[in-house]
Amino acid sequence: MKKKNLFLKTLFLMLIMMFGVISCDFLANKTIRVPNSVIESKMKEKFPITKNFLVGKITVKNPKISFKDNRIYLTTDYDASLLADRSEGVIGLNSEIKFDQKTSQLYLVDLQVDKILDKNGKDMISTPAAKSLKALVSNYLETNPVYKYDQEGKKKKVKVKNMFIKNGKLFVQT
């Protein structure tokens, strides 16, 4: 009886290992749609984000993400202290994405800030503080990666060749 259980356990482990190897080969040279639930869970790991700059400090939290055509749309709450001015509210932006295959990092490109609202919902996009906020956020997001695919650190078997948005969905090409 013990030998039979040991044999079944060994067989089960071999099957799991075999399916793991097959799945890695199966995922090579494929284009896979990333479900929104995966994207949202990765975002929740990263937020809230606080960045200190020479002229102030910005915290963003409670992100909401969507995709349309080939762009990503992000709306998030912000709390900013710029020079002597403090404000909070909602900032909305959209961008295309670019995956750098050499570094396995994902960048936002062609970033556009759509709206900056104060906590009462008043449009603040044309105020001096909002213009400073827009410049800081744009410069930071376009020069720093928003995601790094860490193949070595997590022992992932699949190499990512590209990430792109098409028809309002995020895809990963392996």
Side-chain angles (χ1 to χ4, degrees):
M1 187 68 163
K2 286 184 181 184
K3 284 187 177 189
K4 186 176 180 182
N5 284 340
L6 181 61
F7 174 74
L8 288 175
K9 287 179 185 179
T10 305
L11 180 64
F12 184 67
L13 278 171
M14 297 285 264
L15 284 172
I16 289 173
M17 289 173 41
M18 184 177 75
F19 284 124
V21 170
I22 290 171
S23 70
C24 291
D25 290 337
F26 176 74
L27 291 175
N29 298 317
K30 302 287 182 201
T31 300
I32 304 161
R33 181 182 170 274
V34 180
N36 287 350
S37 59
V38 171
I39 298 165
E40 290 169 4
S41 71
K42 288 291 184 188
M43 282 182 45
K44 286 181 182 177
E45 291 175 9
K46 301 284 184 190
F47 283 82
I49 299 172
T50 300
K51 293 294 174 190
N52 291 308
F53 299 97
L54 186 59
V55 294
K57 177 174 142 180
I58 300 172
T59 300
V60 290
K61 57 189 174 195
N62 302 325
K64 293 166 192 69
I65 192 166
S66 63
F67 301 95
K68 183 178 179 188
D69 299 324
N70 65 334
R71 298 188 73 80
I72 182 172
Y73 290 82
L74 176 70
T75 303
T76 183
D77 297 338
Y78 74 88
D79 185 354
S81 299
L82 302 171
L83 299 172
D85 193 18
R86 184 178 179 284
S87 63
E88 60 183 88
V90 175
I91 186 168
L93 54 92
N94 74 78
S95 174
E96 292 182 358
I97 61 172
K98 179 184 176 215
F99 184 75
D100 184 341
Q101 190 174 2
K102 291 178 186 173
T103 62
S104 297
Q105 294 177 336
L106 185 68
Y107 292 88
L108 299 180
V109 292
D110 187 26
L111 184 79
Q112 299 172 3
V113 177
D114 298 326
K115 66 179 176 183
I116 300 176
L117 306 175
D118 69 4
K119 63 183 173 184
N120 299 321
K122 181 182 172 194
D123 187 3
M124 303 294 291
I125 202 151
S126 59
T127 65
K131 288 179 183 177
S132 297
L133 177 65
K134 180 179 175 180
L136 286 172
V137 169
S138 297
N139 289 336
Y140 180 79
L141 289 176
E142 286 189 335
T143 57
N144 291 283
V146 292
Y147 179 73
K148 176 165 176 55
Y149 181 75
D150 188 11
Q151 185 176 3
E152 306 304 324
K154 295 183 181 177
K155 305 290 184 204
K156 294 182 180 176
K157 305 276 189 221
V158 179
K159 176 158 177 52
V160 172
K161 296 176 186 170
N162 195 12
M163 292 183 187
F164 60 93
I165 301 169
K166 184 177 179 184
N167 298 326
K169 295 176 176 69
L170 178 66
F171 292 92
V172 174
Q173 190 175 24
T174 62

